[in-house]
Amino acid sequence: MEKVFQCLLKIWNKADYEYLLKVQGTTTAELADKLELARSNVSADLNKLVRLGKVLKIKTFPIKYVPVEVVSKQLKLKQLYYYEINDLKELLNTDQVEKGKGTPTAKGKDLFSQNPLNEMIGYTGSLKKATSQAKAAIMYPPHGLHMMLVGPTGVGKTYFANKIFAYAQYKEIFSADTPFVSFNCADYYNNPQLLLSTLFGYVKGAFTGADKDQPGLVEQASGGVLLLDEVHRLPPEGQEMLFYFIDSGTFKRLGESEKNRRANVLIICATTEDPNSTLLKTFLRRIPMTIEIPTLDERPLSEKIELTKFLFQHEADRINKDLNVKIDVFTALLLANNYGNVGELKSQIQLTCAQAFLNSIDSNQVEVSLHDLPEDLRQFWLENPARIRRSAHVSRYLDTKTVFYVGKKNQTLEKDNIYELIENKVHHLQRQGVAAEDIHQYIMTDIRLHIKKFFKQPLPVKKLSKFIDPKISNFVEKLKQIAEANLKVQFDQRFIYYLGMHIDAFFKRGNQTELLLKDEVEKIKKLHFAEYQVALIFQKKITDTFSVKVPDIEVIYLTMLLSSIRTLSEKKQVGVLVVAHGNSTASSMVKVATDLLGKGNIAALDMPLTVSPGEIVRQMAIMIKKLDQERGALLLVDMGSLGMMNNRLEKMTGVKLRTIKNVTTTIVLDVLRKINYIDMDLNAIYSSVEHDVAHLANNQISIAKEAKIILSICMSGTGTAEKLKQIIKKIIQKIGATEVVQVKTVSVLKMNEIIPQLAEKFKIIAAVGTKRPSMSLPYVSLEDLIAGNGEQRLISIISRQGDLPTVIEDRNVVVASMCEDVLKKHLIYLNPIIACKLLQNWLQQLQLQLGVDFSNSQQIKCIVHTAFALERCVRSQTLKYTEQPSKKLLKSLPVIKATLKDVTAALKIEIPVGELYFIAECVLDD
């Protein structure tokens, strides 16, 4: 180690100020080549020198090292408190630079703009207790309380200790030049004498090689903080010396017999082990505050996402390129349960970014997608059945893509930049070859969605002037009054926030791009004439107030914004009229749709065969006028002359109409979903549904050419095979396969004769059952289907035969079928179908909360047991739990109880604690 240090010192001893800042240091590889040593050994020695405070680590790419004494000399540093930094320039103009005489030391609010503990992700959530304990320990008179930080490797104990120190500076308990000394007890655990001499120092002659007096870390930390990492590696004699020092405030250097030295040090210990089993009781009594740092696994999803975003932002800054990360990457990183701490998550993100960086080496922005993930993580994601469920939860917190800009910590306002939205959309549509006349409609739909998402958020608590120039904030208030007077509508404060941020973005962006085509501009002027006139007033006001030229294209952007905000404020929808022959055909379809998706601007008109065509047209015209909200109406009709009345009804009503023939309940559901939740306009809905219908028709044509089957095999071909057939059919229905797949039952006794005959007529895509066929086919055994991952394998086989919808119902068909069969036989008071569905939903939530995936057999066991427990509750025959509950049981009980709330509320049942203990035992007994 000394050889490595001397070599490094020789390289940098004659370096000047400019060269030091330019080159930053020497890499491990360069040093290893110079010394002709193994790179791994040199790396280990360099890191030990960093921990000893003799070498500074510069976290560039690749990492570099430079002697501390060289940095201190050239940069005129008074003292270094951290030995790992991102750039040497960070040390310039800081309180570590030696100050002139009489210069006051920065303290408290000058050092930090806000409470450092409150900057941590989770300070109001999983870290709330820890931060509260840390504050209490620091503020406790007269000098604070010594602390013990407990948690597995990589959860952030050292980071938390640094935040505690920063908090003490923020509260002006410590000044800017107060020392913070860190020491890892594991470095010398096998050499107690060296460990103690490092901690307490030594005198000349104390041991061979001690040629001068050397102060220890305790002396260096006097007046400040000493962090003892991996304190469980401290030998008993070291612990005894420490608790003697804690009690008396005095210590002796190694080799000293008479002189007592004094120091005032706040000690923060960190350990990965149980302190009660690894440390002396006498030592533990001197550390009164124990703070547990939660693992990544114990943190809620929202915090995990914020941590992941923080780490991606850090990587964007490191590689000096913007990162564009897809939501699937977040989901895959957070789904993997093979790591439980932030350190390992950071490693996975660094590996992912390194691969993405390599793939985007010639681009200004790095695209991060699933194929950039480490191989084992990507494979785990692709094969994990929980990914769909977890994706749904992650999408609540993230957009489909998240961009991390170099040097930008707060991206809140960036998401509301309408220019980027329009530009991206226009480029995408042009690449897809979309006709110019259709681009406008797509853009308007996207802008409405963008603004609707913003308008659904609660009103911000902070004033707009906190985010943008106060002059703009006051100016937008006046624009709101102008818009309300001219458009005859009332806007709330969201109008001010949205338009204020848009105008602020315009000033920052300048007149850079005009992506809308001339035809689109003219179309916008005509379609949104009133909004265009108001936008012209806005243009003049902005020019007069800010002396800035507002281009005509910005007037069009403002017109589009005003149109979208006005539409949302008035809550207008496309009207939908379902018309079908029969006494209740149309009414039935509309009722199914509204029961499932809620009320909307939709109505039904039943057409008995006895009613004349003239009367039908008259009734349709009346209903269309009632449905009209100035956004047109869509007619969904079944057959015959109903599909040819479009032009006649438009003339009678003055309402823009589109007609879709051959209506089905599926089409009605799709249309209502689009007007209620996606807010699509008339043309967009019509095009979307027509495309889907055409796609379905094409699939049905291809199906007729080659019918596909799955074999259900048992000994007789009737009993078990029939039951399997029903389960397989439910799996096919569940995934919504676009191709028809039939299921054929086959007896084992006649298998060799029947299967070749079936192969001549059909394409056999898989076999499921009690015996593998002799023909080469994908096979799922009965045992695997019931207790293993057979259902997922079967879904995978079917999915390779054709396209599947993007979202598959996350309900295990095998589990449902098996449980329903059992519950139908034994439940008397509860409805077995309802109970089974409720309990399957409960298990999904429970697995998500616990971060596990139960096997089919485990799910069946939990559902059946819990259903019987609920039945006992109804019959007032509940069981009492007489055992002493384990720590693991007690820890899981609150989660189980919380996730069962939906079940107990739906069934109006209270589960006593005894039954909850038994349910918890069942859940944990895997």
Side-chain angles (χ1 to χ4, degrees), residues 578-583 585-586 589 605-608 636-638 642 663:
V578 182
V579 188
H581 291 84
N583 294 328
T585 308
M589 286 189 282
L605 179 60
D606 297 310
M607 195 177 82
L636 303 178
V637 302
D638 62 350
L642 292 176
V663 63

Side-chain angles (χ1 to χ4, degrees), residues 61-127:
F61 186 78
I63 290 170
K64 296 183 178 182
Y65 299 87
V66 65
V68 167
E69 60 186 80
V70 173
V71 176
S72 299
K73 179 182 175 182
Q74 292 297 333
L75 303 187
K76 294 181 171 57
L77 297 184
K78 184 179 180 183
Q79 187 176 0
L80 272 174
Y81 308 125
Y82 301 97
Y83 297 95
E84 293 187 21
I85 57 172
N86 294 318
D87 193 299
L88 282 175
K89 292 173 185 175
E90 293 177 9
L91 299 175
L92 301 177
N93 303 317
T94 69
D95 294 297
Q96 293 176 339
V97 177
E98 194 170 342
K99 301 176 177 60
K101 190 175 181 180
T103 305
T105 301
K107 54 184 177 179
K109 308 301 187 290
D110 299 327
L111 281 172
F112 304 97
S113 58
Q114 61 175 314
N115 185 338
L117 286 174
N118 291 356
E119 292 175 345
M120 291 191 299
I121 294 166
Y123 80 95
T124 59
S126 63
L127 291 177

Side-chain angles (χ1 to χ4, degrees), residues 267-388:
I267 296 173
I268 301 178
C269 301
T271 178
T272 57
E273 306 297 323
D274 179 6
N276 293 309
S277 60
T278 55
L279 295 169
L280 297 175
K281 302 296 182 186
T282 47
F283 176 64
L284 275 180
R285 284 202 295 271
R286 271 77 176 180
I287 312 290
M289 183 66 77
T290 299
I291 301 173
E292 291 191 19
I293 310 298
T295 64
L296 186 65
D297 221 26
E298 293 169 331
R299 292 193 172 209
L301 180 61
S302 58
E303 288 183 18
K304 292 178 184 177
I305 288 173
E306 287 305 311
L307 283 166
T308 308
K309 288 167 70 176
F310 173 82
L311 294 171
F312 271 121
Q313 181 62 56
H314 181 68
E315 292 308 306
D317 294 338
R318 278 186 70 204
I319 63 177
N320 202 30
K321 280 190 177 184
D322 299 342
L323 291 178
N324 191 337
V325 186
K326 292 185 178 180
I327 190 172
D328 283 347
V329 175
F330 281 92
T331 312
L333 286 165
L334 296 172
L335 178 67
N337 57 6
N338 59 335
Y339 53 86
N341 60 55
V342 181
E344 290 182 45
L345 174 62
K346 181 180 179 181
S347 297
Q348 294 281 20
I349 288 173
Q350 286 178 335
L351 287 171
T352 302
C353 289
Q355 184 61 49
F357 180 80
L358 190 64
N359 295 338
S360 310
I361 197 76
D362 298 322
S363 174
N364 292 328
Q365 188 178 80
V366 177
E367 301 283 337
V368 185
S369 57
L370 280 175
H371 69 266
D372 297 313
L373 292 168
E375 178 61 31
D376 56 339
L377 186 59
R378 184 167 70 249
Q379 201 60 36
F380 177 82
W381 154 254
L382 293 171
E383 294 174 355
N384 197 298
R387 68 181 187 275
I388 297 166

Side-chain angles (χ1 to χ4, degrees), residues 37 74 157 209 225 244 246 275 336 342 353 356 433 636 663 712 878 885 890:
L37 295 173
Q74 292 297 333
K157 296 187 293 298
V225 172
Y244 175 77
I246 291 170
V342 181
C353 289
L636 303 178
V663 63
S712 174
T878 55
L890 290 170

Side-chain angles (χ1 to χ4, degrees), residues 4-15:
V4 171
F5 178 68
Q6 291 301 326
C7 182
L8 190 65
L9 194 60
K10 187 177 179 181
I11 293 171
W12 286 98
N13 228 359
K14 295 181 181 179

Side-chain angles (χ1 to χ4, degrees), residues 412-430:
T412 306
L413 301 185
E414 203 66 36
K415 291 163 69 177
D416 299 303
N417 190 337
I418 199 71
Y419 299 103
E420 189 176 334
L421 173 76
I422 294 172
E423 286 178 15
N424 291 342
K425 192 67 175 180
V426 170
H427 282 312
H428 176 72
L429 294 174
Q430 287 173 341

Side-chain angles (χ1 to χ4, degrees), residues 133-140 143-145 147 164 167-168 173 266:
Q133 288 177 298
K135 289 176 184 178
I138 284 292
M139 299 302 293
Y140 195 82
H143 304 301
L145 297 174
M147 289 166 261
I164 293 172
Y167 173 74
I173 293 168
L266 179 67

